[in-house]
Amino acid sequence: MGSLRLEAVEKWFGDAQVIKGIDLDIRDGEFVVFVGPSGCGKSTLLRLIAGLEEISRGTLLLDGKDVTGLPPAQRGLAMVFQSYALYPHMSVAENMGFSLKSAGCPRPEIESKVSEAAAILRLEDLLDRRPKALSGGQRQRVAIGRAIVRNPAAFLFDEPLSNLDAALRVEMRYEIAKLYQTLNATMIYVTHDQVEAMTLAERIVVLEAGRIAQAGSPRELYRRPENLFVAQFIGSPKMNVAPCATGDGEYRIKGGRGGDYARSRPASWIGIRPEHISLGEAGSGPIDGRVDVLEYLGADTNVIVDTGDSGQFSVRVSGESDLDVGDPVGLVPEDGQVHFFDSDGRAVAA
């Protein structure tokens, strides 16, 4: 079992409050990712769950038991850090089994659990090696194996891929996804990389300045962001946002035109994702501009369009596009894919 419940959890460092009343339920066997910009409190929140930081106010329940005041060793959780933190003088097998040895487990039990974890992580041929003889991805798998042997109630990952190059990050994302399918254990994962969050999570918790901005599945956050912060944080490239005015059943973009508007409340901002815009001739859509920059990505090209008063818009088009810098274009939003937000940044429902 590995369900967790946070009730009104706060963290203060002196007079500075960094976690501002978090209420969150994490189901047994769920993969939850904490994501947000630097300084939003995601790593601090993970450390509060692990017991590495003391909760200033509030309650933490693990499988219904209050563990708020328990030390890390008594919570039954296992943490994988950004730094591998492997003992250089020990072999892979010794590193993976060290916590069990320290706890006084019999040697046959240690060897059995290390062998099981090594099989899951494809480390069987590396058990006799020292860390210096391993690649970065292999070292991270050893660090994960060290957590697996403990059979924890939940796994806690604190930006475990940050030290890896781009190719290894992709490989390790796959490894962690397969590990979750194999173990079906509760996993809480911290990252600032929204691509990692979107590809790994069953549920994403987006943090902003110590509070939960929105929690939901990757699809929910992408399709129905509840505020401007989430709208622009989830998705790559980020959602285009421009000022607008609404009234008399219409919206009008600053510096452009508009279209029909039939929502429940007035809106001050319009949001459109780059992949939900097509480019046509000037005058073909609610806003015009000129191609400012072309970012060729192979299958796609990211077109940066300068629209004047409404700023720059990113548009994702085919990599075979024959656009040139300076070309005049009209931006045409896809039907049903336009988002509106009020003056406080809250989504205006359709």
Side-chain angles (χ1 to χ4, degrees):
M1 296 291 288
S3 65
L4 291 118
R5 181 180 180 87
L6 289 80
E7 299 177 345
V9 169
E10 299 181 14
K11 178 61 182 178
W12 295 74
F13 291 104
D15 294 331
Q17 186 180 15
V18 295
I19 299 296
K20 302 172 182 178
I22 297 291
D23 292 296
L24 181 66
D25 285 306
I26 298 174
R27 300 184 301 274
D28 180 37
E30 188 176 21
F31 197 135
V32 174
V33 175
F34 296 163
V35 70
S38 296
C40 69
K42 55 188 182 295
S43 288
T44 299
L45 185 58
L46 191 74
R47 292 174 66 86
L48 293 175
I49 293 172
L52 301 177
E53 297 284 356
E54 183 180 350
I55 293 175
S56 302
R57 295 174 187 161
T59 304
L60 173 65
L61 302 174
L62 175 60
D63 291 330
K65 177 185 176 183
D66 188 347
V67 298
T68 310
L70 289 182
Q74 295 181 25
R75 297 192 181 193
L77 306 173
M79 192 156 179
V80 179
F81 296 91
Q82 179 178 341
S83 170
Y84 317 127
L86 302 178
Y87 294 107
H89 63 287
M90 293 184 182
S91 68
V92 167
E94 289 169 339
N95 267 284
M96 291 172 62
F98 182 73
S99 62
L100 300 179
K101 181 179 178 181
S102 299
C105 291
R107 183 170 179 175
E109 180 182 345
I110 296 173
E111 292 177 349
S112 174
K113 290 187 175 181
V114 167
S115 295
E116 290 175 7
I120 292 171
L121 297 166
R122 303 195 316 276
L123 293 171
E124 301 103 311
D125 296 335
L126 305 177
L127 291 175
D128 293 329
R129 290 193 190 181
R130 300 285 177 86
K132 67 180 181 181
L134 304 176
S135 69
Q138 289 168 340
R139 292 178 191 180
Q140 192 58 275
R141 294 213 303 270
V142 174
I144 294 171
R146 184 175 51 195
I148 290 175
V149 299
R150 296 178 55 194
N151 192 27
F155 292 85
L156 311 180
F157 295 88
D158 189 9
E159 302 198 45
L161 309 187
S162 296
N163 291 335
L164 305 180
D165 62 33
L168 276 177
R169 288 172 74 97
V170 174
E171 179 184 330
M172 284 305 301
R173 276 210 313 265
Y174 170 81
E175 297 282 357
I176 291 173
K178 293 299 292 182
L179 177 67
Y180 174 64
Q181 293 174 12
T182 300
L183 299 179
N184 196 29
T186 306
M187 294 187 177
I188 306 173
Y189 188 104
V190 164
T191 182
H192 64 274
D193 185 336
Q194 58 97 21
V195 175
E196 285 181 24
M198 293 287 283
T199 55
L200 287 173
E202 285 188 320
R203 187 158 52 116
I204 297 174
V205 177
V206 182
L207 293 169
E208 180 188 16
R211 293 187 172 90
I212 295 177
Q214 187 176 348
S217 71
R219 189 181 299 270
E220 288 170 345
L221 268 59
Y222 176 82
R223 290 185 172 180
R224 295 185 295 278
E226 294 179 355
N227 52 66
L228 271 174
F229 177 80
V230 174
Q232 292 194 285
F233 193 84
I234 297 296
S236 181
K238 68 180 182 179
M239 181 184 287
N240 300 294
V241 172
C244 73
T246 58
D248 298 325
E250 294 183 334
Y251 73 87
R252 180 173 292 275
I253 301 176
K254 182 179 180 182
R257 296 171 293 279
D260 294 337
Y261 185 80
R263 307 226 171 178
S264 57
R265 296 181 288 116
S268 298
W269 302 91
I270 186 173
I272 315 169
R273 295 201 181 277
E275 52 271 32
H276 295 152
I277 301 174
S278 59
L279 295 178
E281 296 181 357
S284 59
I287 189 166
D288 299 329
R290 288 186 178 273
V291 175
D292 194 28
V293 174
L294 293 168
E295 298 176 338
Y296 177 70
L297 302 172
D300 299 320
T301 294
N302 189 33
V303 183
I304 311 298
V305 178
D306 186 354
T307 68
D309 289 343
S310 289
Q312 293 181 332
F313 272 60
S314 293
V315 182
R316 181 177 290 165
V317 301
S318 167
E320 302 306 314
S321 170
D322 56 2
L323 287 167
D324 289 320
V325 171
D327 284 351
V329 292
L331 278 64
V332 184
E334 184 179 330
D335 288 344
Q337 297 293 348
V338 178
H339 302 260
F340 291 95
F341 304 89
D342 63 18
S343 57
D344 294 325
R346 297 174 301 173
V348 179

